[in-house]
Amino acid sequence: MKYTQLGRTGLKVSRLVLGTMNFGPQTDEAGSHAIMDAALDAGINFFDTANVYGWGENKGRTESIIGNWFAKGGDRRDKVVLATKVYANMAAEGDAWPNHDKLSALNIRRAVDASLKRLQTDHIDLYQFHHVDRNTPFEEIWQAVDTLVQQGKILYVGSSNFPGYKIAQANGAAARRGGTIGLVSEQCLYNLAERRAEMEVIPAAREYGLGVIPWSPLHGGLLGGVIKKEVQGGRRASGRAADTLADPAARARIQSYEDLLDKHGLEPGETALAWLLTRPGVTGPIVGPRTAEQLRSALRAVELELSEELLTALDEIFPGPGPSPEAFAW
C-alpha cells in the first residue's frame, strides 16, 4: 500500500479509503468484519463511514458493525484512521425531531457522543460534515468543533459535498477565530464520468490545503465494465448507471471506454481508480466493496501505472471542464 498526507496535515493515510456504506444493507456483520480484516492486512488504514449508514430503521447500524470489529482487539482501532459524518436526522422514521439533524452546536455534540458509543471508541480521527447546513453559521460550528477537540473526542474536521465557496467560507471563519485548523479534507463526487468538481471544488480544496476524497469512483458501477458484464449475463446496471446507459450517446461513450481498456488489457474498474490516483489534490478514492474479491480488485489499482498515451485517450472520451476560471468564464 502507498500512503500520503491528508491535505496539509501531518496525518498519513492510505491511497485507498475503505468505504463502509454497504456494511449492513449489502454485507452482513461477519462479511463486513472479514473485509475490514483484509483491508487492514493489505495496509489500508483509512476507513470512512457515516452516522446515517444502515439507512431507514437501521440508521447507525454500520457504525455499530465497525464498533464490534474494533472490540475484537488486536490493535484494530489503533491502526485505523477513522472517519465518520454528521448531518442526517437520526431520529426514528416518522419521528423526526427538531435539532436531531444538521450542524447546530447542539446536534453536533449529540451526534458525536452517539457515534462514539456505536463505534466503541473514545475519539474520531476525522469528523466530516455530510452536507452544507445553510442555516447554521460557521462561527457556531467551529465553536462546537473547538470544544470537541479540547475534549479529545475529535482530532480533525472535513467536509463532504461542499461547493468551493463554502470551503472558502468555512476556512475563512476558522482563520478569523484563530487556533482552529479548519477543514482538512473534502469528500466529493468525482470520477472519470463526473468531473465537474474540477471547476471549483478541487481548486478550492487545493488552495486551502484540503485533501480530496472522491466518492463513487466508479460512478455507481458505470465505470466498472458494466456493458461487458451485461453482455456476459452478469449483474445488470441499476441506479445511476442504468439511467446513464439509457442515453444512446452516453452508452456509446462507455462502450468506447471499455473497448479502449480491452485493447490495453486493463480492467475498467481498476483503471478508473488508478486514474483518480493520478489527479492533483486527490488523497485517495473511497472504495465500497461488498465482497473480498471486490476489495482485491481495488487494491490492484494502487500499483497500476497509466501511460500518458492512455491518459490522453481517457481525456478524449471523458473530457474535463478545463482549468478554472476559463472553464466557465469563456
Side-chain angles (χ1 to χ4, degrees):
M1 179 53 59
K2 297 177 182 178
Y3 300 88
T4 189
Q5 308 298 126
L6 178 62
R8 64 189 184 282
T9 75
L11 188 65
K12 291 183 180 179
V13 295
S14 49
R15 295 299 317 270
L16 288 182
V17 184
L18 181 68
T20 63
M21 189 169 66
N22 289 320
F23 294 177
Q26 299 290 332
T27 307
D28 65 16
E29 182 157 339
S32 301
H33 286 192
I35 289 172
M36 287 187 280
D37 281 334
L40 206 58
D41 287 344
I44 295 178
N45 76 335
F46 199 2
F47 288 18
D48 176 75
T49 191
N51 60 353
V52 75
Y53 289 172
W55 309 109
E57 63 184 15
N58 294 312
K59 287 182 289 191
R61 175 61 178 150
T62 302
E63 285 188 333
S64 295
I65 288 172
I66 296 170
N68 292 338
W69 181 74
F70 285 147
K72 290 182 174 182
D75 293 328
R76 284 175 170 83
R77 177 64 186 95
D78 288 341
K79 291 178 179 178
V80 168
V81 174
L82 175 63
T84 192
K85 309 183 194 76
V86 57
Y87 182 84
N89 197 304
M90 294 298 289
E93 291 297 309
D95 191 30
W97 196 249
N99 302 311
H100 276 69
D101 64 355
K102 301 186 179 177
L103 303 179
S104 69
L106 175 59
N107 188 56
I108 287 175
R109 184 180 72 170
R110 176 189 290 118
V112 165
D113 287 342
S115 284
L116 289 172
K117 183 177 180 179
R118 287 189 292 266
L119 290 163
Q120 300 187 50
T121 186
D122 63 356
H123 74 282
I124 294 162
D125 300 305
L126 178 64
Y127 201 51
Q128 301 163 111
F129 307 135
H130 211 161
H131 196 279
V132 169
D133 183 351
R134 296 179 175 88
N135 296 319
T136 304
F138 281 113
E139 288 76 12
E140 176 182 345
I141 293 170
W142 288 125
Q143 183 180 48
V145 165
D146 288 347
T147 299
L148 293 171
V149 170
Q150 291 164 7
Q151 292 173 340
K153 294 181 178 180
I154 64 175
L155 300 182
Y156 302 94
V157 177
S159 58
S160 181
N161 305 308
F162 272 34
Y165 81 97
K166 283 294 181 181
I167 291 172
Q169 284 183 350
N171 275 13
R176 289 192 297 274
R177 284 183 60 82
T180 297
I181 191 172
L183 299 174
V184 303
S185 63
E186 160 60 18
Q187 190 176 129
C188 60
L189 175 61
Y190 183 40
N191 55 58
L192 264 170
E194 175 49 82
R195 297 178 62 172
R196 285 178 292 178
E198 294 176 359
M199 292 182 70
E200 291 199 57
V201 175
I202 293 175
R206 297 184 69 194
E207 180 72 20
Y208 285 94
L210 279 64
V212 175
I213 306 170
W215 61 265
S216 195
L218 304 187
H219 208 53
L222 191 70
L223 300 171
V226 64
I227 295 178
K228 182 178 180 180
K229 292 175 183 176
E230 187 180 89
V231 170
Q232 294 177 344
R235 187 181 182 203
R236 295 185 64 83
S238 60
R240 184 187 299 123
D243 292 342
T244 302
L245 291 178
D247 176 359
R251 185 180 184 91
R253 188 177 303 115
I254 298 302
Q255 185 67 68
S256 296
Y257 167 70
E258 293 187 14
D259 290 345
L260 171 68
L261 299 186
D262 188 56
K263 184 177 73 172
H264 285 265
L266 297 172
E267 290 297 322
E270 295 169 16
T271 303
L273 291 173
W275 178 84
L276 280 168
L277 292 173
T278 70
R279 299 299 90 190
V282 168
T283 298
I286 297 174
V287 296
R290 296 186 304 276
T291 66
E293 174 51 38
Q294 288 179 343
L295 175 62
R296 285 191 290 271
S297 176
L299 288 167
R300 290 192 287 270
V302 179
E303 303 301 327
L304 195 58
E305 297 288 339
L306 304 184
S307 68
E308 288 299 322
E309 175 192 1
L310 180 58
L311 290 171
T312 299
L314 290 171
D315 272 338
E316 290 173 353
I317 296 173
F318 300 109
S324 178
E326 290 84 353
F328 55 84
W330 58 78

